[in-house]
Amino acid sequence: MKIITILFCLSLLVPGAFAAETKVPLNRMNWSQSLPLNANITLDGGSIIGMDKNLASLPDVIVYQLGTDVYAAYRNGTPIDSGAVGSIVNSRVIRAGINATPENGTMLIARGTYDLAADLNCTTGSPSYALYYWTALPVTKDIHIKGMGRNATVLRFADSQYSDTRPALIMYDYCPFSESGGDGVGPGHNAFSLEDITFDGNIDGQTPYYHDGAGLFLSGSMRQSALIRNVEFRNSPNHALYLGYNGGGWENHAVVDNIYTHDN
């Protein structure tokens, strides 16, 4: 069993200077420096174990890739979900991480490219319905989602996710998803943030088509206090970032800061 330990200490602030006991993973995964500098995180074939007395300051949930697998785990190391890397599994595992994150909690998605399948239909109806969307990552709670930097953590459409009969989204906040579908209108968030991440629509692998709201990220319904900061939106087959009105109401006090959008 391979054990990889990453020690955050002051030496991390000096390029090339690591404590002697620090081991860097083969995939060069580095944890966000926003984590406590004295935190030890052990990866042992799928679990993440916080060894630091300040464990409560770690994200509630961490999603990461290691080798050929993708994992979601609580900050104390308890596994949530895992599987072989692939668009359907990646979507499932990240959704499991979102679902496991407590209200107003934080989920960190570690560096890597996560190809995603938009395999959940958020609403009933047909593609002609304005609020008809397929999505990879529905959000139905107050949550703070953080990557490890633009072009470091990349959420990307897999091929053939978007077309005129299949308007899709990488992330839909606030998606009223249920197994029986929904009407696309419902109460929205009171606290939501999305930071330090890239959304990639893989436009060359899609069939671009205009559908109101569809594309990379959509937020709708009566809501307040979103923060979207340091996010890149690229290669969308339709919209990039869409803060919308879907019949449920507008948003108050949204902050959009340092957004880079291109090739959409």
Side-chain angles (χ1 to χ4, degrees), residues 26-151:
L26 296 178
N27 64 355
R28 307 298 299 175
M29 180 170 64
N30 298 308
W31 297 99
S32 169
Q33 291 188 20
S34 68
L35 299 182
L37 293 179
N38 62 339
N40 291 283
I41 298 177
T42 301
L43 309 181
D44 56 357
S47 65
I48 302 178
I49 304 172
M51 306 298 292
D52 174 64
K53 63 182 180 180
N54 296 317
L55 182 62
S57 61
L58 293 171
D60 297 284
V61 169
I62 303 175
V63 174
Y64 65 99
Q65 295 178 6
L66 189 62
T68 59
D69 294 313
V70 58
Y71 302 89
Y74 291 105
R75 62 187 175 196
N76 67 357
T78 302
I80 297 168
D81 197 1
S82 64
V85 168
S87 62
I88 293 176
V89 172
N90 293 345
S91 295
R92 187 197 76 210
V93 170
I94 297 176
R95 287 196 298 261
I98 292 173
N99 292 338
T101 302
E103 283 288 329
N104 211 27
T106 300
M107 183 179 78
L108 172 68
I109 305 178
R111 69 175 60 246
T113 296
Y114 300 79
D115 286 336
L116 300 174
D119 54 354
L120 293 182
N121 188 346
C122 278
T123 55
T124 56
S126 68
S128 62
Y129 177 45
L131 301 180
Y132 179 91
Y133 306 108
W134 291 80
T135 189
L137 305 176
V139 175
T140 57
K141 64 172 61 175
D142 292 349
I143 189 173
H144 307 283
I145 299 173
K146 183 176 176 62
M148 296 186 64
R150 295 191 313 209
N151 209 39

Side-chain angles (χ1 to χ4, degrees), residues 10 12 68 71 80 97 109 126 135-136 147 154 159 164 179 186 196 202 219 259:
L10 292 178
L12 187 61
T68 59
Y71 302 89
I80 297 168
I109 305 178
S126 68
T135 189
V154 180
D159 288 346
D164 59 341
E179 293 298 332
D196 303 318
N202 180 23
S219 184
I259 302 302

